[in-house]
Amino acid sequence: MKTTFKLSIGLFLLCLVFSMSGCSASVSTGTSSKSSKTKSLPPGQAKKVTGEKSAKKYAPGQN
Protein backbone atom coordinates (compact mmCIF):
# COMPACT_ATOMS: atom_id res chain seq x y z
CA MET A 1 0.00 0.00 0.00
CA LYS A 2 2.77 2.45 0.92
CA THR A 3 4.75 1.66 -2.26
CA THR A 4 1.67 2.28 -4.40
CA PHE A 5 1.17 5.64 -2.70
CA LYS A 6 4.83 6.60 -3.19
CA LEU A 7 4.67 5.48 -6.82
CA SER A 8 1.55 7.54 -7.51
CA ILE A 9 3.09 10.62 -5.90
CA GLY A 10 6.26 10.09 -7.94
CA LEU A 11 4.29 9.83 -11.16
CA PHE A 12 2.29 12.93 -10.24
CA LEU A 13 5.48 14.91 -9.62
CA LEU A 14 7.00 13.65 -12.86
CA CYS A 15 3.91 14.75 -14.81
CA LEU A 16 3.98 18.09 -13.05
CA VAL A 17 7.62 18.65 -13.98
CA PHE A 18 7.00 17.80 -17.63
CA SER A 19 3.92 20.00 -17.83
CA MET A 20 5.77 22.94 -16.27
CA SER A 21 8.74 22.52 -18.61
CA GLY A 22 6.42 23.09 -21.57
CA CYS A 23 5.23 26.43 -20.20
CA SER A 24 6.85 29.62 -21.33
CA ALA A 25 6.48 33.18 -20.14
CA SER A 26 6.98 36.38 -22.07
CA VAL A 27 7.68 39.71 -20.45
CA SER A 28 6.56 42.93 -22.08
CA THR A 29 8.33 46.17 -21.30
CA GLY A 30 5.49 48.32 -22.58
CA THR A 31 7.46 49.77 -25.49
CA SER A 32 6.84 48.74 -29.04
CA SER A 33 9.61 48.10 -31.52
CA LYS A 34 7.36 49.59 -34.21
CA SER A 35 7.15 52.91 -32.39
CA SER A 36 8.50 55.90 -34.26
CA LYS A 37 8.69 58.09 -31.14
CA THR A 38 12.13 59.21 -30.12
CA LYS A 39 11.07 60.22 -26.61
CA SER A 40 9.72 57.56 -24.30
CA LEU A 41 8.06 59.91 -21.78
CA PRO A 42 5.19 62.32 -22.41
CA PRO A 43 6.15 65.99 -21.97
CA GLY A 44 4.40 66.32 -18.61
CA GLN A 45 6.16 63.26 -17.17
CA ALA A 46 9.56 64.46 -18.43
CA LYS A 47 8.88 67.79 -16.72
CA LYS A 48 8.12 66.03 -13.43
CA VAL A 49 11.26 63.88 -13.62
CA THR A 50 13.61 66.77 -14.32
CA GLY A 51 11.88 69.24 -12.00
CA GLU A 52 11.34 71.88 -14.69
CA LYS A 53 8.48 74.36 -14.33
CA SER A 54 7.43 74.08 -17.97
CA ALA A 55 6.92 71.06 -20.24
CA LYS A 56 7.45 73.23 -23.34
CA LYS A 57 11.04 72.04 -23.69
CA TYR A 58 9.89 68.39 -23.96
CA ALA A 59 6.89 68.88 -26.25
CA PRO A 60 7.59 68.45 -29.99
CA GLY A 61 6.99 71.60 -32.02
CA GLN A 62 7.12 73.92 -29.01
CA ASN A 63 10.25 76.03 -29.44
Side-chain angles (χ1 to χ4, degrees):
M1 178 82 180
K2 288 184 180 181
T3 27
T4 309
F5 181 71
K6 287 181 181 179
L7 183 63
S8 64
I9 288 183
L11 285 174
F12 173 75
L13 290 176
L14 187 64
C15 290
L16 184 67
V17 167
F18 278 118
S19 65
M20 293 300 285
S21 67
C23 295
S24 65
S26 64
V27 177
S28 176
T29 59
T31 57
S32 174
S33 61
K34 297 177 186 176
S35 178
S36 62
K37 289 183 178 180
T38 55
K39 296 180 182 178
S40 59
L41 291 175
Q45 291 293 346
K47 176 185 80 87
K48 285 181 183 178
V49 169
T50 58
E52 297 279 332
K53 292 189 177 195
S54 173
K56 196 174 192 180
K57 182 192 268 186
Y58 305 102
Q62 304 293 321
N63 292 329

